Amino acid sequence: MDLDNLNGRLLFAVPKKGRLQQATLDLLSGSDIQFRRDHRLDIALVKNLPIALIFLPAADIPTFVGEGQVDLGITGRDQVAEHEACTPPTDTMGVEEVMDLGFGKCALQVQVPNDGKISTPQQLVGRNVVTSFTNLTGSYFAGLEAAEPDASNGIKKDQASKTKVKYIGGSVETACRLGVADGIVDLVESGDTMRAAGLKAIATVLSSTAVLIKSKHASNPSLVALIASRIRGVIDAQRYVYCSYNIRRTNLEAACHITPGKRAPTINSLEEAGWVAVSVMVERKDIAVVMDKLTEVGADDILVFRLENSRTK
């Protein structure tokens, strides 16, 4: 199967492997984007929508979307920034971010050995730095070089020293130990790998999450909007729960202050005089504390339901 035989389908690029892949596949499943990927094929036709999924390395997705070869994509904001550091967007080229997807949170950080003398990124100016993000790293250190140099790094202001940024595709954290670099720039999630390698963070170049991006010349804007709406609904369903409770009308104002909802609570009178039923969306991470506070103001029959999907604004 090749791109010339896709019969006008919208092309949607997703990570073919790596830390974003499984969460992306779960998001597609929740959005009812049905497909079956044949073994070793990097193109899969969606059964229930005129879409073809293109499985690409996450680092390549901003290029394909930015050049208009693919309509839509999911990748990391770090990969978008790396692409744009090399190929700045124009009115006709580049990607547009549709939404933050909320998963794949990490930070692109400058790291150095714990037992070394370097404690600031300025001290790495003119030294060896390795990374798989050469464009972002080069831009970051170029900014430091343009500023007043730190005398502690041994570089005089009239020297035209340039930080030596080298590319390493994997196991970047071993570079300092092997003597290849004085510092590294790499993605950090929990930080456990870096700590195990004897490294510490001294600066953050960029914070990143997964994002949905689109081409500036998408072939089917209405279908792009439909996909975005479905994905947003799944994300909201993961973020919120549905909470209902009964409360005396005299205590309603206090309860609504605790549960204001996304827009406003739904309130219905009960058969029992002076009582109302309240239904509201609450952020999942806050629900235990919210239930405690509702109990304190007299709420009763508090029930919480998981959301399978949603369409909200």
Side-chain angles (χ1 to χ4, degrees), residues 115 119 121 204 295 313:
D115 55 1
S119 59
T204 296
T295 301
K313 293 183 180 180

Side-chain angles (χ1 to χ4, degrees), residues 38-224:
D38 291 333
H39 184 57
R40 294 188 177 181
L41 287 182
D42 288 337
I43 300 175
L45 300 183
V46 174
K47 301 175 183 178
N48 56 334
L49 289 167
I51 300 170
L53 298 179
I54 314 297
F55 291 84
L56 296 170
D60 294 341
I61 290 175
T63 300
F64 281 86
V65 176
E67 294 180 357
Q69 296 162 324
V70 172
D71 300 291
L72 203 59
I74 291 176
T75 188
R77 185 173 283 117
D78 53 297
Q79 300 293 354
V80 174
E82 173 70 4
H83 170 71
E84 292 183 343
C86 177
T87 309
T90 67
D91 291 340
T92 58
M93 300 289 287
V95 307
E96 294 181 358
E97 182 176 318
V98 179
M99 73 180 79
D100 187 322
L101 300 176
F103 62 84
K105 293 182 180 179
C106 60
L108 186 64
Q109 293 185 328
V110 183
Q111 302 258 345
V112 295
N114 272 317
D115 55 1
K117 297 181 179 180
I118 296 174
S119 59
T120 68
Q122 288 80 5
Q123 292 174 285
L124 283 172
V125 170
R127 300 178 185 270
N128 293 319
V129 177
V130 302
T131 182
S132 57
F133 293 84
T134 54
N135 298 324
L136 278 173
T137 301
S139 296
Y140 178 78
F141 280 98
L144 295 181
E145 290 172 15
E148 184 74 13
D150 188 338
S152 64
N153 65 8
I155 298 172
K156 297 180 181 179
K157 189 170 184 177
D158 59 354
Q159 288 180 326
S161 178
K162 180 174 173 62
T163 308
K164 303 169 185 67
V165 177
K166 301 178 182 178
Y167 175 82
I168 292 182
S171 300
V172 177
E173 69 277 0
T174 64
C176 294
R177 184 182 299 173
L178 296 175
V180 177
D182 300 297
I184 69 169
V185 176
D186 201 18
L187 287 178
V188 177
E189 293 184 67
S190 66
D192 291 342
T193 301
M194 295 302 173
R195 284 189 288 271
L199 300 173
K200 64 181 178 182
I202 58 173
T204 296
V205 177
L206 178 77
S207 295
S208 179
T209 57
V211 290
L212 179 68
I213 57 176
K214 68 176 182 178
S215 166
K216 293 183 177 180
H217 304 284
S219 62
N220 190 336
S222 61
L223 185 54
V224 169

Side-chain angles (χ1 to χ4, degrees), residues 270-296:
L270 295 180
E271 288 294 323
E272 185 174 347
W275 282 78
V276 295
V278 180
S279 300
V280 66
M281 291 175 68
V282 177
E283 287 200 56
R284 185 186 300 272
K285 64 182 179 64
D286 298 330
I287 189 59
V289 173
V290 165
M291 293 175 73
D292 294 338
K293 290 182 177 180
L294 288 173
T295 301
E296 290 174 3

